[in-house]
Amino acid sequence: QWPKDQSLPECFHIFASYDTAFTERDRNKKDADKTAHSARITWGLFADPVSGQTAMIMLEAWNAQAGYPELRENAKNHHKKWHLDDAVIERKASGISLIQDMRKLKLPVRGFDPKKYGDKEQRAHLATPYFTSGLVYYPDRDWARKVINYVAAFPVGDAPSADYADTVS
């Protein structure tokens, strides 16, 4: 946790990580707790003042049962608001179209093929050492604690648990 009495660190690189829902049909299922969400976490990289190593801090999080037009508009506005250096988007589901659209707008983005790193649970295990290293921070805010609780509930938590877990792995 980043100390509440300190301003957030100056980040030398800001990026967003996206997990996008598959289709509009996903968001229209009868059981809303089981439907797919699109999720995003914005991260900042900075020099840790204690260790001098590169550290990460969660700057913002978003999730919604958004159709593609809403997702695209949200992503475009988010890029501009945060002056993102990069965005990492899963190259599957509506992420494929989002990558293409962001590139047409000349916004920095790269696709990520999650299958190269196993299933959702395997990817979460691969990411665990980064979070236990003491070099990943979050601000002392309610929204950040909610994200942490969703990720901690993975793989059995309700949406957007798996979606947020994908954005951190």
Side-chain angles (χ1 to χ4, degrees):
Q1 178 178 325
W2 192 257
K4 194 172 193 167
D5 62 344
Q6 291 184 22
S7 60
L8 294 179
E10 185 174 329
C11 297
F12 61 81
H13 186 85
I14 297 175
F15 70 98
S17 176
Y18 283 84
D19 176 63
T20 60
F22 192 69
T23 65
E24 300 251 348
R25 183 176 58 101
D26 283 341
R27 68 188 180 98
N28 293 326
K29 291 179 182 172
K30 289 181 182 175
D31 188 354
D33 288 340
K34 303 297 182 201
T35 59
H37 287 228
S38 289
R40 174 189 65 232
I41 295 183
T42 306
W43 299 96
L45 301 180
F46 67 99
D48 183 66
V50 176
S51 68
Q53 293 182 291
T54 297
M56 243 171 47
I57 187 164
M58 184 183 350
L59 297 171
E60 176 271 351
W62 167 86
N63 81 82
Q65 292 173 297
Y68 184 72
E70 180 185 346
L71 174 65
R72 181 185 58 229
E73 191 65 21
N74 182 286
K76 182 176 75 170
N77 292 338
H78 186 72
H79 256 82
K80 291 176 182 177
K81 176 184 176 183
W82 284 86
H83 306 287
L84 295 179
D85 295 300
D86 201 3
V88 179
I89 302 171
E90 281 191 354
R91 196 180 296 121
K92 65 178 197 167
S94 58
I96 295 167
S97 296
L98 187 59
I99 292 165
Q100 293 169 344
D101 284 349
M102 295 298 104
R103 285 181 177 159
K104 284 179 190 173
L105 295 170
K106 308 285 189 222
L107 297 172
V109 64
R110 69 179 111 156
F112 169 74
D113 184 359
K115 291 180 185 176
K116 288 184 179 181
Y117 302 95
D119 65 24
K120 287 178 183 283
E121 288 186 53
Q122 290 169 322
R123 292 192 306 272
H125 288 298
L126 288 172
T128 299
Y130 295 101
F131 289 87
T132 59
S133 71
L135 293 172
V136 179
Y137 294 89
Y138 65 94
D140 184 16
R141 306 284 189 280
D142 288 341
W143 64 263
R145 285 186 288 279
K146 285 180 184 177
V147 170
I148 291 165
N149 288 336
Y150 278 125
V151 174
F154 177 78
V156 296
D158 288 335
S161 176
D163 308 297
Y164 274 136
D166 275 351
T167 67
V168 301
S169 67

